[in-house]
Amino acid sequence: MSITHFKAMLVTENTDATFSREIINRELTALPEGEVLIQVKYSSLNYKDALSASGNKGVTRKYPHTPGIDAAGIIVKSSNEKFHTGDEVLVTGYDLGMNTSGGYGQYLRVPAEWVVKLPENLSLRESMIYGTAGFTAALSVYKMIHGGIKPDAGNILVTGATGGVGSIAVSILHKLGYSVIAATGKAEAKEMLLQLGAKDIILREELNDQSGRILLKGNWAGVIDTVGGNMLATALKSTNYGGSVTCCGNVASPELLTSVYPFILRGITLYGVDSVMCPMDLRLELWSLLANEWKPLQLEQNVEEVSLEGLDKKIDLILQGKLQGRTIVNLDL
């Protein structure tokens, strides 16, 4: 192939232990080894991307580095018989964008076992509106459903509802007929959340119980928690008998100070959600659901598209907790 250089974001560690981001022309030969070379058309912005782009060594060990844990594009070269030149594909999870050069570059090279063929009824752009955030939302909903929670069971609480995972979880649950209560720290986002399908919203202060009580009044048939910390602990204490709670984030806190009582007195179940190493058979099932039965009518709502050059400001906003909805990156801009 004739391409030798491509545009990419590069995060560099400076001599004073600070980190800088710039858009450069990278050499194709700088990409890691892998069976599949992909021309990236779209990526997306997740909290983990912002951490990697800011020098967080818990996410990315070595710099210089190109972040981007999501990518969707077209195969330009493959040595694996399952994939062929011209195939539309997506990659989320595994080590992409963490310690392997990621989606904030116009090309990437990855192992074939990381690659998912784009499902029918889903465009490359739509797949990145979902991205890891949407996939994590889908995995959370999937676990809650398989915990036995049906649409007529009662209200479902979604925390961090204006974020990427939370907002897509609200939309999916609404599509499936669930009654959704969206929790947020942004009162001004009420109208947006109602448009996504929430029945009502509550402010996060209402989920910050400091009473020390072992149980609270049961309010939730199920909970999709995206933030962790005391909000999750409060949600556990206020989940109905036999309810299911999923946990996928720690933006509030990685600590969970709770007791066994919600589990042994109300029989609730807490499901951990990890989208990084999700088995491929389940990964394919979920992407098919996202392309078809679970695809929200509001998928394009509250989505902003930016170029690589426009990504820098969005990274700062998501770290400050000021970003709503989804930001996708168009690598052709």
Side-chain angles (χ1 to χ4, degrees):
M1 55 182 297
S2 59
I3 182 73
T4 59
H5 291 76
F6 62 95
K7 186 169 69 170
M9 173 181 284
L10 195 70
V11 183
T12 304
E13 185 171 7
N14 304 315
T15 55
D16 61 356
T18 61
F19 292 81
S20 57
R21 299 187 288 264
E22 60 181 334
I23 308 302
I24 67 164
N25 280 319
R26 290 194 70 187
E27 293 184 4
L28 199 67
T29 55
L31 291 175
E33 293 298 316
E35 299 160 285
V36 182
L37 179 65
I38 300 169
Q39 182 182 10
V40 182
K41 294 297 184 179
Y42 290 95
S43 185
S44 72
L45 176 60
N46 304 278
Y47 189 71
K48 187 181 286 187
D49 296 315
L51 293 176
S52 175
S54 303
N56 187 302
K57 294 293 184 73
V59 176
T60 299
R61 294 188 299 271
K62 293 182 180 181
Y63 293 85
H65 174 64
T66 295
I69 64 172
D70 297 335
I74 300 169
I75 291 179
V76 295
K77 188 176 182 180
S78 172
S79 61
N80 186 288
E81 61 183 13
K82 292 182 179 180
F83 300 102
H84 304 93
T85 300
D87 286 348
E88 292 188 325
V89 295
L90 63 94
V91 184
T92 65
Y94 302 100
D95 191 51
L96 184 71
M98 296 175 64
N99 297 290
T100 300
S101 187
Y104 294 168
Q106 291 176 317
Y107 286 84
L108 58 80
R109 189 184 288 121
V110 294
E113 59 264 27
W114 294 7
V115 181
V116 172
K117 285 188 178 180
L118 191 73
E120 292 186 13
N121 303 319
L122 195 68
S123 69
L124 292 172
R125 184 178 188 277
E126 288 173 331
S127 74
M128 290 296 97
I129 295 176
Y130 285 129
T132 287
F135 183 78
T136 302
L139 185 54
S140 300
V141 172
Y142 181 92
K143 290 202 172 189
M144 189 196 74
I145 290 173
H146 282 259
I149 308 304
K150 298 180 180 180
D152 62 358
N155 288 333
I156 307 299
L157 174 69
V158 177
T159 67
T162 60
V165 178
S167 61
I168 295 176
V170 170
S171 296
I172 293 173
L173 288 165
H174 174 68
K175 175 73 180 293
L176 297 178
Y178 287 87
S179 173
V180 183
I181 306 299
T184 179
K186 305 178 179 72
E188 68 276 10
K190 180 175 182 177
E191 188 59 35
M192 180 200 87
L193 291 168
L194 293 177
Q195 290 175 0
L196 289 176
K199 184 177 77 171
D200 202 358
I201 75 163
I202 60 174
L203 296 179
R204 62 184 173 206
E205 290 79 9
E206 299 178 54
L207 290 170
N208 186 30
D209 178 61
Q210 302 289 340
S211 70
R213 294 174 59 188
I214 60 172
L215 291 173
L216 300 172
K217 178 185 176 182
N219 290 319
W220 321 116
V223 179
I224 305 293
D225 177 69
T226 72
V227 299
N230 195 52
M231 193 176 296
L232 173 56
T234 301
L236 290 170
K237 291 192 287 186
S238 52
T239 297
N240 296 339
Y241 188 90
S244 294
V245 180
T246 69
C247 169
C248 68
N250 64 358
V251 65
S253 173
E255 295 185 354
L256 179 59
L257 302 178
T258 188
S259 72
V260 299
Y261 293 110
F263 306 100
I264 67 173
L265 296 183
R266 287 187 176 163
I268 74 167
T269 302
L270 176 61
Y271 292 97
V273 174
D274 168 53
S275 61
V276 175
M277 297 304 296
C278 177
M280 183 54 76
D281 56 348
L282 178 55
R283 192 179 291 269
L284 294 174
E285 179 182 355
L286 289 171
W287 277 113
S288 179
L289 288 169
L290 286 169
N292 295 284
E293 299 98 307
W294 289 14
K295 191 175 185 179
L297 297 175
Q298 313 92 332
L299 183 61
E300 291 279 352
Q301 187 172 315
N302 207 36
V303 175
E304 184 173 0
E305 185 173 313
V306 300
S307 64
L308 271 179
E309 289 81 2
L311 189 54
D312 199 60
K313 291 181 180 179
K314 300 299 182 183
I315 289 171
D316 293 335
L317 285 174
I318 198 171
L319 288 172
Q320 297 165 16
K322 296 180 179 179
L323 198 64
Q324 295 184 16
R326 292 289 286 153
T327 298
I328 61 172
V329 186
N330 186 332
L331 276 296
D332 287 337
L333 292 178

